[in-house]
Structure formats: structure tokens, C-alpha cells
Amino acid sequence: MGGTTTAGRGVLGRARGFVTGRPTSQKVGGGVAAALLASAPFGGLAGVPDPGPEPITAGKAIMVGPYKVVVDKVVELPDLKPAVSPSPRQRVIVLDTHVTLTGDRPEYAGTLTNNVAVSGGGVKTVERPRLYFVEDSTAMTSFNPGLTYRLALTYVTSGPWQGDAVTVTSNLVEFREEDKQTLDPDAWVARDEVQWQGTLPLVRRP
Amino acid sequence: MRRAIATGALVIAAMGLGRVINDRIPTGDVADKPFVHSGSVGRAVSLDYADVTVTGVHVTPTVMGNPASAAGGRWLVVDTQMLATRRPTAVAGFFLVDARDRRWIASTRGPECAQRADLSTGVRHYASVCFDVPKKALEGARLMVTRGAWDSHEAQFRRDDLADIDLGIAASEVERLWASKDPVNVKESGPVPPAEARR
């Protein structure tokens, strides 16, 4: 028993002697490492948390791939004739937007419409979203760069929206310069990751 | 023994020749390019499948129709006349190339603006194509006409005939054309020639 105590004291003494003999910088580093190790059970060694999507707010530009999009307001309508004529039970959610294609080449609208979604109203969107020029209700399916349009991004819903707010999300859309697997270089590719998200007030119009 | 050495030398020479072809001959630059036939306004360009003529060029902020369509920039409206020479042909590729080699695609918005043309053999077909473009696209603009639609890889008309027609817009004309406010009345595309002359 007494031998064990003596041996323990011997080890501690040697450790103390070892630490005492280290330079100050090594002592500080060792202290920090020990503190981090001690904080591990409380999350001290956990990775940096994901910052999450960036916010969408009315009137502020977001980038959806090559498109600069400003959502001005969100409106619910029974229809958007002559462009959108849903059944009487359905409704149309319209993102009233200004859209500019940046870059230096034309793009088709699917890169935008396939990557912006609405949710939070307790109803389903029953058709693919579509884009219409607000002034004349003509469909917008392609863009040339450098021009800005006021466009209605429309979603036909299965019924009236529940609540007074709409959550708008946009996927991360990245430019892929090379892809040896698909032989589809220089393409905008949507990732399964929400890059932008925001909750906007819903304006109802009869 | 001598035969084996000769065979080995032949194999090595063939591999070397293949390497030289791969490294020195730019096959990738030409193998997928279309066959370009150049022309200008008022002159027919003969392609393997059709003759294409640009008969008019207009710049306007408004294309008339039901509804009238306002441009985001300006409409560059190109009137064309096409004639399929051998068999019924679908022409789906209309796009512009400007003086700086940038591409601009046709709009789907104008109600009578054509995005494609289905040609019957030997029957003249008239179609106006509308491009909504910024001012910088006007100088030196050329109309490209081909069977495959434009995509970012320009893959739909590889090794096909392509008409490259200079629209005759000089740099000195751009300001005047851009300032023009007269709307353009685009006629429905088809075999009926446009009744009224414009510009």
C-alpha cells in the first residue's frame, strides 16, 4: 500500500518536473489542449454549425444560379387569366419579381423555375411553376443576358393558402465547368441544398 | 527473329503515329462544327435542306399583336423567307451572333413571332423571328438559321448546314435604331407572304 503511494508520488513528481522544464509557450499550448479536451463533453470539439440558408426579404436581390431575382411581394389570386386558369377550388400563388439574367450567354427559364419553391400554406402545388411577363401575361421561357423583366412566378395550389405568410426557398445552383461523367460541361447544376429562405407576408386578392 | 523485330517496330510506329494524330491534329476543333454558309439581307443562302433569305430587319420597343409585347430592351425583328428544297424540314434554330461573338436567342413572347418553322417541300414559308436584346447586341448582328435549336453547347446542329446572315447593322446605325419608337406589326408565319411592306 505504502509502496503504491510512493510510486504514484514518483510519477506525479516526474510529470511536474517535466512540465516545469518546458518553455512557457509549450505550457500555454498544453493548457489550451487540456481545456479543449475537458470541454469535449459539452461540445468543445464539435464542428462549426452549418450557418443555414441566407435570408430572403422583400425587395432584396438573391442569386438563383445566373439569375438575379428580387421578390417584391407574394400574392394569392383565384386565377391569373389569361395566363393561368385553375379550377375554382384551386388558387394561384404569385411571386411578383424582377429578374435579370447575369453573365454573357442566354439561358432557359427552367434553371430558375425548377429551383424556387413556396411552402407553409398547408396546400400542395399541383403544377410546375411558370413565369409570365406581368404587363402582357405572355410566357417567359428564355432569357438573354443584361435585361431586367418584371415577372410573375406562379404556383397553382390545391386550395386556399392557410395563414398569412409564405416561405420561399431557393436551391443552391452552381456552375459546373467540367463533368467527365456526363460530358455536360459549362452547365448550371442544382444542388440538393437550400441556399436562400425567407418568410414573406401573403397579400390576398379576390 | 527478324520478323518479330519488324512486327514490334511496326506496332511501335503505329502507336507513335496515333499519338502524333491525337496531339498535333486539331480534330476536336472541326469535328463538331456546323457547315457555315454566309449571306446578307436580300440574298438567298442555300443550305443542304433549304434556301433561307432575310427579307427585312426592324428594331422596335413594341411588337404588335394580341397582346402587344413590350421588349425588355428592344425587339430586333428579322423577316425571313424559307424554302425546303428536298424534303419537309423543321427549322428550330434561330439565334443571333453579335460583333463580339455573343449569342442571343429568340423570344417566345411575341404572339406571332416564330420560334421554329415547319417547311413543306417546295412551298415558300414566311416567318418573323423576334429577339429581345440590349443595345450592345445590335452592332454587327448576324442571324443564324439551322435545324437544331440553340443550347449552351451548340450541340443540336453539329455537322449540319447553318446559314450565317449579316443583318447589315453598322455601329453608326445603332443609336438611331435604338431610338426608334414605331411598333412593328408581325405577321403570322406560314405560306402567305406578308401583305404590307415595312421599313
Side-chain angles (χ1 to χ4, degrees):
Chain A
M1 183 74 175
T4 307
T5 309
T6 306
R9 282 179 183 162
V11 168
L12 284 174
R14 281 199 297 277
R16 188 178 297 118
F18 177 79
V19 170
T20 307
R22 298 296 96 197
T24 306
S25 60
Q26 287 187 14
K27 286 179 188 169
V28 171
V32 170
L36 266 177
L37 201 60
S39 71
F42 311 101
L45 295 180
V48 178
D50 187 348
E54 298 178 62
I56 296 177
T57 54
K60 184 186 168 191
I62 66 171
M63 292 301 296
V64 183
Y67 293 101
K68 186 173 86 173
V69 180
V70 177
V71 180
D72 295 317
K73 57 179 179 287
V74 185
V75 183
E76 185 189 50
L77 302 155
D79 62 61
L80 197 65
K81 290 179 179 175
V84 186
S85 302
S87 71
R89 298 180 63 177
Q90 296 174 331
R91 296 290 185 275
V92 185
I93 294 290
V94 175
L95 302 190
D96 189 346
T97 63
H98 283 82
V99 178
T100 308
L101 174 62
T102 61
D104 58 2
R105 76 177 196 194
E107 298 288 344
Y108 292 104
T111 307
L112 174 61
T113 57
N114 293 341
N115 291 297
V116 178
V118 293
S119 61
V123 290
K124 293 180 179 176
T125 53
V126 297
E127 291 179 7
R128 294 171 65 88
R130 298 183 191 280
L131 268 180
Y132 296 95
F133 195 74
V134 168
E135 285 183 29
D136 59 20
S137 300
T138 50
M140 191 82 182
T141 60
S142 59
F143 288 80
N144 282 322
L147 300 174
T148 299
Y149 299 93
R150 186 183 173 200
L151 300 176
L153 179 52
T154 67
Y155 302 83
V156 176
T157 59
S158 56
W161 196 265
Q162 307 298 310
D164 296 324
V166 176
T167 298
V168 181
T169 55
S170 165
N171 289 330
L172 173 64
V173 181
E174 293 181 313
F175 191 71
R176 182 178 58 199
E177 289 187 26
E178 282 191 38
D179 186 355
K180 291 175 180 173
Q181 291 182 327
T182 64
L183 298 177
D184 186 20
D186 298 330
W188 289 99
V189 179
R191 305 297 184 193
D192 188 20
E193 176 185 340
V194 174
Q195 185 183 21
W196 301 91
Q197 179 172 319
T199 300
L200 303 177
L202 179 64
V203 178
R204 288 191 169 85
R205 289 191 186 150
Chain B
M1 181 65 179
R2 194 177 293 170
R3 194 171 181 177
I5 292 172
T7 303
L10 195 64
V11 168
I12 291 170
M15 291 172 68
L17 181 64
R19 182 64 184 265
V20 168
I21 291 172
N22 274 343
D23 289 354
R24 301 294 178 190
I25 299 176
T27 50
D29 292 343
V30 295
D32 58 357
K33 298 295 180 191
F35 303 107
V36 177
H37 301 262
S38 300
S40 56
V41 175
R43 299 181 64 180
V45 175
S46 293
L47 306 176
D48 182 49
Y49 46 87
D51 294 340
V52 180
T53 310
V54 170
T55 57
V57 179
H58 321 270
V59 177
T60 176
T62 310
V63 165
M64 297 304 289
N66 185 19
S69 295
R74 291 290 185 276
W75 294 110
L76 176 57
V77 181
V78 185
D79 300 332
T80 66
Q81 174 185 300
M82 290 169 278
L83 177 69
T85 48
R86 299 186 180 194
R87 60 184 68 87
T89 300
V91 175
F94 297 98
F95 63 97
L96 297 176
V97 177
D98 70 12
R100 296 191 177 184
D101 206 36
R102 292 173 295 217
R103 273 57 173 160
W104 309 91
I105 56 177
S107 175
T108 56
R109 287 188 46 231
E112 305 297 350
C113 296
Q115 288 95 50
R116 55 177 288 139
D118 294 312
L119 312 180
S120 300
T121 314
V123 178
R124 291 194 190 284
H125 185 98
Y126 303 88
S128 295
V129 190
C130 308
F131 299 90
D132 189 357
V133 293
K135 188 191 284 186
K136 63 186 178 185
L138 293 180
E139 181 189 345
R142 289 138 49 209
L143 175 70
M144 305 291 148
V145 180
T146 186
R147 288 188 283 200
W150 183 89
D151 65 18
S152 58
H153 301 131
E154 302 195 352
Q156 304 302 312
F157 44 87
R158 287 174 177 165
R159 299 190 67 77
D160 198 6
D161 270 12
L162 177 147
D164 177 342
I165 303 173
D166 187 349
L167 301 181
I169 302 176
S172 58
E173 290 182 290
V174 169
E175 288 296 335
R176 178 182 61 79
L177 291 169
W178 191 261
S180 171
K181 300 293 183 192
D182 295 337
V184 169
N185 189 14
V186 174
K187 297 294 185 185
E188 183 180 4
S189 62
V192 179
E196 60 181 277
R198 295 185 296 262
R199 198 186 184 191

